[in-house]
Amino acid sequence: FLARTSEGLAMVFVAYVAIAALLWPWHRSWGTTQADWEMALPGDPPVRLPAAELMHAIDIDAPDWVVWAWLVQIGQDRAGFYSYERLERLFGADIHNASVINPAWQHRAVGDRIPSTQEGYARGLFGARPGWRVTQVVPCRALVLDTWGSFVILPNGPDRSRLVVRSRIGGPDAPAAGAAVSFLAFEIPHFIMEREML
């Protein structure tokens, strides 16, 4: 039984790695165009390294100010992340997605903390309260979070917008083992959740 179980788990792991690697170009750039990759966005470092970035984008049938109203209220303590909240709660995160725009949640400032979980999550394994620090705010245009990336809203006519999310995933000096673990344990789940969010 143990031999069969370990063989089965090994086969599942190998299949996961193979599928993830084959789909990497697709999920790394889901919804984006070449123009999105070439565009300078708020939050970009002085010298970009596109090979160490991932980007997702979506066209939305709403003006920029409406998209901003939903985006600016993200956070575990506010509107959630508009993703799979049951899956988030399955992993112990007390997240509930809002279905309305709340006027009390319409302000963000540089230095604000956007919590990803409640206090004491996983008994403090990831710190007192994991989350992201706001590093740049351009109302109706961009919200930049320190270790997540840039959420940028691009107007596309009077009633349409494009939402682009650009994240950095390491660099040329990142250790290969760390990059592999990040890819397998983080990038695939991150893509699944962020795609639903968009």
Side-chain angles (χ1 to χ4, degrees):
F1 173 78
L2 289 176
R4 287 181 180 171
T5 301
S6 59
E7 286 175 9
L9 290 174
M11 290 176 62
V12 167
F13 177 74
V14 168
Y16 173 77
V17 171
I19 292 169
L22 286 172
L23 293 179
W24 169 244
W26 172 75
H27 69 74
R28 175 180 178 245
S29 59
W30 178 80
T32 63
T33 65
Q34 187 61 39
D36 294 329
W37 283 89
E38 293 170 356
M39 190 182 322
L41 297 178
D44 283 348
V47 179
R48 280 184 58 206
L49 184 62
E53 294 175 346
L54 57 83
M55 209 161 54
H56 305 134
I58 190 168
D59 291 313
I60 302 171
D61 290 326
D64 55 356
W65 61 271
V66 172
V67 178
W68 175 258
W70 288 98
L71 174 63
V72 76
Q73 62 184 23
I74 64 170
Q76 182 272 338
D77 59 341
R78 291 186 174 195
F81 298 98
Y82 313 119
S83 194
Y84 298 106
E85 63 180 21
R86 288 184 183 174
L87 185 58
E88 290 164 330
R89 289 203 299 272
L90 180 67
F91 284 91
D94 185 26
I95 296 174
H96 302 271
N97 296 328
S99 58
V100 296
I101 293 172
N102 186 332
W105 295 336
Q106 293 301 301
H107 178 74
R108 283 290 185 198
V110 171
D112 283 358
R113 185 115 177 118
I114 296 180
S116 61
T117 64
Q118 67 277 14
E119 290 186 35
Y121 175 74
R123 298 185 179 182
L125 180 65
F126 304 103
R129 192 173 192 186
W132 306 272
R133 187 176 58 85
V134 176
T135 59
Q136 192 172 349
V137 178
V138 183
C140 296
R141 168 78 165 136
L143 181 67
V144 183
L145 309 182
D146 62 349
T147 55
W148 189 332
S150 304
F151 292 78
V152 180
I153 303 165
L154 305 169
N156 187 14
D159 297 313
R160 284 179 61 81
S161 303
R162 185 163 178 76
L163 178 59
V164 177
V165 184
R166 179 181 287 164
S167 303
R168 288 184 293 281
I169 54 174
D173 299 330
V181 170
S182 174
F183 172 71
L184 295 174
F186 174 72
E187 297 305 335
I188 305 300
H190 170 78
F191 166 67
I192 292 168
M193 300 301 283
E194 188 169 277
R195 183 174 184 267
E196 178 65 13
M197 177 189 193
L198 292 174

